[in-house]
Amino acid sequence: MVVAPEALVSLVPLILAGFLFLLWRRSICSSAQVYRDSLTGLPGRPAFDRTYLHPSGKTAPEAIIFLSIDNLRRVNELFGYRRGDEVLKQASHRIGVALPPRTELYRFSGETFVFACFGDCDPPAMAETVLKDLREISPEGATPLTLLCTAGIAMKGREDLTDAADLVRGAAAANAAAREQGNPHMLYSRSLREEAFRKVRIARLLSESVEDDSFTMHYQPIHDSEGNITALEALLRWSPPGLGPVSPDEFIPLAESSGLIIPLGEKIIHRVLEETSFLPPEIRPPVHINISPVQLESGHLQDQLDEALLWSGRSSSEIILEVTESHLIHRLSACSALLQELQGRGYRIALDDFGAGFSSLQYLHQLPVDILKIDRSFLRYRQAPERTARILSAFRDLGEGLNISVVAEGVESEEQFHLLRTIGFCRFQGYFFSKPQPLRALLPFFTGSSLCHEEESGEHRQDRAKIHCT
Ligand code: C2E
Ligand code: CA
Ligand code: CA
C-alpha cells in the first residue's frame, strides 16, 4: 500500500505526541524509582521530602515515629551484608503488616525507618507493637536473630512541633535519647531538645577547651589498710564558662565520639606528669591515668606516653593505665595486644570498674592485668550484707589466685572500710578517705606540712587518714 506524502505529514503531530508521551512516562517511572528504595521497595527519604517538605507538599502528619535497628551493623559484620539485606526486607515487611492502614512507611537510611501517622492514631502503642514484632527475625534458612530496635516519637501540636521537618527532627532526637538511655521508645519533649542543645554546646566548648588547655586535674588517693597513700588516681575536671562544672561521665563520651579524646588524652598525660613532678621522688606515689578505648585504638598512645616520659624524665613504672572493662568489649584481642606491649614497656595496667560489665572473667583471661579495681556498686547492697561479703571475698580470692592487686573503689563509710579490711582487702579508694582534689590540697597527706591548711576539707580528711594509720 502506498501512503500519500500529505497523509504522512498529517501523522507527524500524532507520532510526535506519542513519542513525547512515552518520554514523559519513562521519566515518571524513573523518578518514582529514584524515590523508592530498591531493597525494600519502600519510598525513601527523598520521597518523604518531596511529599511533605516541598512548598506544594501535603500538610504534616499527626505524628512521626523514627525507628532504628541498632544492631544492623553488627549483623552485617558478623553474618555478612546479604543476611543484613534479608533482615531489612523482613523487617520492612513486618512493619508494613503491623501498621494501621492510614500510616505511611519510609526507609530513611540504612537502618532507620520513618512512619507518618494520620488521623486518630496512638503512636506509642504503634511503636510498641512494631518493636514487639521486630524482636526476632528469622532469615530464610538461617538461625533466628534478635533485633535491637529503638523508636522515637514526635506528635504534632505537642511542645513546639508544627511542620513535618520539626516532627522528623523531634522524632530523631527522641530516638537518639531512647538509645542513649536504653529505653525501647521515647516521646519527644522540650527538655529532651534542651538536652540535645546542651550536648551540642558542650561539644563546641570542649573543642575550644582542648585548644586552650582549660582543664584541671584532681587526684584521689588509693590507701593501704593502714591508711597510707600507695597511689593516686588522676581525674579530669572541667568547668566551662557559662555551664559550670560538667561531669566527666558527661563530657568524656562526647570527647570520645568526636575524637577529641586523642589530643585531650595527650594533654592529660603531660599535665599529670608535670604536676606530680613537683612531689619529691621519695614520697611520689605512682599515678593512675584513665585511658579511653579510643585512645588505645588510635595507635598514638604509645608515642604520646614515650614522649611524655622523655620530656619529664619519669619512668613508665610510675604510671598505671586504667582501662574500663565494658569499653573494651568490641576490640578485645586488638586491645589486649596493645596493652601487652605497654605492659612490656613497664607500664602497669589496671582494670577499672571490674564486675560491672557482663563478661568480667573473660577480660581477666584475655587482658594483661596488674591491678583489679572492684566497681563501687558492690559496696551498695546494704540489704544483703552476708551475700555482699561473700562476693567481695570471691574478688579477694581471685586477686590472690592470679597474683593481682585488688583495689576496692567507692569506700564511703568506716563500716565499709572495716568490712573490706576484715575480708582481707589491702587497697582502698573512696570518699571516706578523700574526695578527688587538686594535688596541692593533698600535700599534707604526704609531708605532714601545713601547706594547705586553708583548705578546710583537706585538713579534715587528713585527720581521717591518720585515724586509720594507727
Ligand atoms: P572512674 O575512673 O571509675 O573514677 C572514679 C569515679 O568515682 C570518679 O568520678 C570519682 O570522683 C568517683 N568516686 C571516687 N570515690 C567515690 C566514692 O566513695 N563514692 C562515689 N559515689 N564516687 C566516688 P568522676 O571524677 O566524676 O569520674 C567519672 C568517670 O569519668 C571516671 O570513672 C572515668 O571513667 C572518667 N574519667 C575521669 N577522668 C578521666 C580522664 O582523665 N580520662 C578518661 N579517659 N576518663 C576519665
Ligand atoms: Ca578509673
Ligand atoms: Ca572506677
Side-chain angles (χ1 to χ4, degrees):
M1 192 182 75
V2 181
V3 182
E6 308 82 62
L8 262 182
V9 169
S10 68
L11 279 177
V12 166
L14 212 64
I15 293 167
L16 211 62
F19 182 66
L20 287 175
F21 175 75
L22 281 176
L23 263 182
W24 176 75
R25 282 264 339 237
R26 246 188 95 159
S27 85
I28 292 268
C29 288
S30 60
S31 64
Q33 226 100 53
V34 165
Y35 291 123
R36 262 180 200 281
D37 160 47
S38 60
L39 182 70
T40 59
L42 291 174
R45 193 157 63 84
F48 181 92
D49 292 353
R50 219 173 108 101
T51 312
Y52 293 105
L53 308 186
H54 202 265
S56 60
K58 285 177 26 183
T59 52
E62 284 311 308
I64 288 282
I65 301 179
F66 192 101
L67 180 132
S68 58
I69 305 178
D70 305 325
N71 59 343
L72 184 69
R73 207 168 135 193
R74 199 95 188 104
V75 170
N76 285 333
E77 281 167 10
L78 288 175
F79 304 104
Y81 282 83
R82 196 172 290 174
R83 185 81 60 84
D85 286 352
E86 246 333 285
V87 165
L88 274 168
K89 274 200 254 175
Q90 273 206 31
S92 61
H93 176 71
R94 283 208 198 163
I95 301 171
V97 171
L99 291 179
R102 287 192 65 200
T103 316
E104 291 172 4
L105 173 59
Y106 297 84
R107 184 177 173 211
F108 246 44
S109 70
E111 71 280 16
T112 60
F113 294 88
V114 157
F115 325 153
C117 317
F118 294 89
D120 193 14
C121 56
D122 180 354
M126 276 164 66
E128 251 168 52
T129 309
V130 170
L131 288 172
K132 197 165 133 255
D133 287 357
L134 288 183
R135 221 166 273 162
E136 197 176 275
I137 292 271
S138 310
E140 224 168 279
T143 41
L145 295 169
T146 304
L147 286 196
L148 304 174
C149 300
T150 314
I153 304 162
M155 291 163 82
K156 193 159 76 178
R158 274 181 75 115
E159 314 268 357
D160 43 3
L161 305 178
T162 48
D163 61 22
D166 282 346
L167 285 167
V168 169
R169 253 198 310 273
N175 171 279
R179 258 181 295 135
E180 242 170 56
Q181 295 171 29
N183 291 333
H185 60 84
M186 264 178 96
L187 195 60
Y188 170 84
S189 68
R190 194 168 290 155
S191 66
L192 204 146
R193 194 172 109 122
E194 278 156 14
E195 189 52 34
F197 275 128
R198 181 178 151 84
K199 286 224 166 98
V200 171
R201 195 162 164 217
I202 289 182
R204 186 174 49 78
L205 289 169
L206 197 59
S207 143
E208 287 169 14
S209 297
V210 171
E211 279 273 301
D212 32 274
D213 217 357
S214 47
F215 292 92
T216 48
M217 293 311 301
H218 279 192
Y219 297 84
Q220 188 179 33
I222 295 170
H223 297 263
D224 66 13
S225 40
E226 266 70 54
N228 304 311
I229 294 174
T230 60
L232 296 173
E233 176 173 3
L235 293 157
L236 191 59
R237 293 291 174 265
W238 182 48
S239 190
L243 272 184
V246 183
S247 159
D249 280 329
E250 187 174 6
F251 71 79
I252 293 281
L254 286 175
E256 288 176 334
S257 58
S258 61
L260 274 174
I261 192 72
I262 294 164
L264 176 60
E266 182 172 23
K267 290 189 174 192
I268 292 170
I269 295 166
H270 277 258
R271 182 76 74 81
V272 168
L273 289 179
E274 186 186 327
E275 290 185 351
T276 52
S277 288
F278 290 109
L279 289 170
E282 62 278 10
I283 61 161
R284 192 165 58 208
V287 62
H288 291 233
I289 301 178
N290 288 286
I291 299 293
S292 145
V294 181
Q295 283 172 275
L296 265 188
E297 288 173 18
S298 72
H300 300 303
L301 183 64
Q302 272 195 17
D303 292 344
Q304 291 179 352
L305 284 163
D306 288 350
E307 202 216 303
L309 288 186
L310 199 68
W311 156 86
S312 63
R314 304 277 291 277
S315 144
S316 56
S317 63
E318 294 180 71
I319 297 179
I320 293 148
L321 302 170
E322 282 201 11
V323 293
T324 304
E325 53 160 17
S326 58
H327 292 159
L328 301 175
I329 191 155
H330 299 310
R331 306 283 309 268
L332 201 56
S333 60
C335 289
S336 168
L338 243 162
L339 291 172
Q340 229 136 27
E341 206 166 324
L342 288 163
Q343 199 186 41
R345 289 172 175 233
Y347 300 97
R348 273 171 290 166
I349 311 296
L351 201 48
D352 204 0
D353 304 339
F354 186 74
F358 289 111
S359 41
S360 306
L361 292 173
Q362 190 197 348
Y363 290 106
L364 211 48
H365 198 61
Q366 296 200 22
L367 296 172
V369 178
D370 302 288
I371 297 166
L372 270 191
K373 298 189 78 181
I374 308 302
D375 190 65
R376 65 172 184 261
S377 58
F378 290 97
L379 291 177
R380 280 200 213 124
Y381 302 110
R382 296 214 173 130
Q383 314 88 311
E386 271 183 34
R387 212 174 159 74
T388 303
R390 279 202 204 117
I391 293 172
L392 291 169
S393 307
F395 283 133
R396 175 211 54 207
D397 293 345
L398 195 62
E400 261 172 29
L402 294 173
N403 203 16
I404 293 173
S405 166
V406 179
V407 180
E409 285 192 301
V411 184
E412 291 183 350
S413 68
E414 187 152 14
E415 191 192 343
Q416 290 173 336
F417 174 58
H418 280 306
L419 170 73
L420 289 160
R421 207 155 60 157
T422 315
I423 289 172
F425 271 74
C426 303
R427 294 287 180 270
F428 314 87
Q429 183 181 6
Y431 294 168
F432 175 61
F433 299 98
S434 170
K435 283 200 170 173
Q437 48 196 314
L439 194 61
R440 198 169 54 92
L442 286 169
L443 282 180
F445 277 100
F446 305 110
T447 59
S449 82
S450 55
L451 250 179
C452 293
H453 268 188
E454 82 276 8
E455 300 253 355
E456 191 195 312
S457 51
E459 199 180 6
H460 175 66
R461 287 177 199 121
Q462 189 194 3
D463 288 346
R464 225 176 233 170
K466 272 190 206 149
I467 297 171
H468 302 292
C469 282
T470 51

